[in-house]
Amino acid sequence: MAWDEWEQLKADALARRQDGMRLDSAAGAGGSGAAGAPDLKTNKAGNDTAVKALQDEIPRDTDKAGSHADESTATAVREFSGWQTGSGLKDAHAEWELQVKNLKGRLGQDKEALEGSHQHLQYVDYGVGSRTAQIKAGPHQGREV
């Protein structure tokens, strides 16, 4: 990458960052935010579908995929007992089981986060609306405009 190209990329990134938020202007046409970016919206039906998948389908499939190698690995470990290969397979399988357990824990966390996201965004929206409603329109007392 040439130096001039790098400098141009940095300048472009800085320009995008500076134009990212405008508090002193109304939203653009169609209710979108600055520079035509879409408003933040949630998809309740999609969220519910994802939560259901993380609750039912994905853990079941993860268990199935995670235990797929159990029997064949156990057989191989027995066949290679006393060899380095056997102990290596046993260690690799133990790591595999740990990774499956960690994945299932992460999927559970993702499910909980999705379950709470709609409510959390609603509280944020109410909080912003409440603080905005406290702002008094018009000139401030004791100041000239």
Side-chain angles (χ1 to χ4, degrees):
M1 177 182 297
W3 183 258
D4 293 336
E5 183 181 2
W6 172 247
E7 289 298 323
Q8 183 62 45
L9 289 170
K10 288 189 336 186
D12 292 346
L14 181 61
R16 281 192 307 271
R17 187 173 55 185
Q18 289 174 344
D19 291 339
M21 178 183 278
R22 293 188 179 164
L23 296 176
D24 62 344
S25 64
S32 59
D39 288 338
L40 176 63
K41 297 179 183 178
T42 59
N43 179 345
K44 182 76 169 125
N47 191 14
D48 291 345
T49 301
V51 168
K52 185 169 177 19
L54 283 168
Q55 185 173 346
D56 301 329
E57 181 181 323
I58 295 174
R60 184 177 57 244
D61 291 347
T62 303
D63 285 336
K64 184 178 175 183
S67 63
H68 180 72
D70 286 350
E71 187 176 325
S72 59
T73 303
T75 302
V77 167
R78 280 193 307 274
E79 292 294 322
F80 287 107
S81 66
W83 293 46
Q84 291 291 328
T85 304
S87 63
L89 282 171
K90 186 176 180 180
D91 292 346
H93 188 67
E95 182 64 28
W96 171 259
E97 288 176 333
L98 178 63
Q99 293 300 321
V100 170
K101 179 182 174 184
N102 289 340
L103 174 61
K104 288 172 60 178
R106 177 56 196 246
L107 291 171
Q109 292 172 349
D110 290 346
K111 180 184 78 80
E112 290 173 14
L114 279 172
E115 287 174 328
S117 66
H118 179 73
Q119 187 176 16
H120 175 73
L121 288 172
Q122 207 170 22
Y123 286 144
V124 169
D125 197 28
Y126 290 148
V128 170
S130 174
R131 287 189 301 275
T132 304
Q134 295 174 3
I135 298 172
K136 295 181 181 177
H140 294 285
Q141 295 289 344
R143 292 189 185 174
E144 291 184 24
V145 179

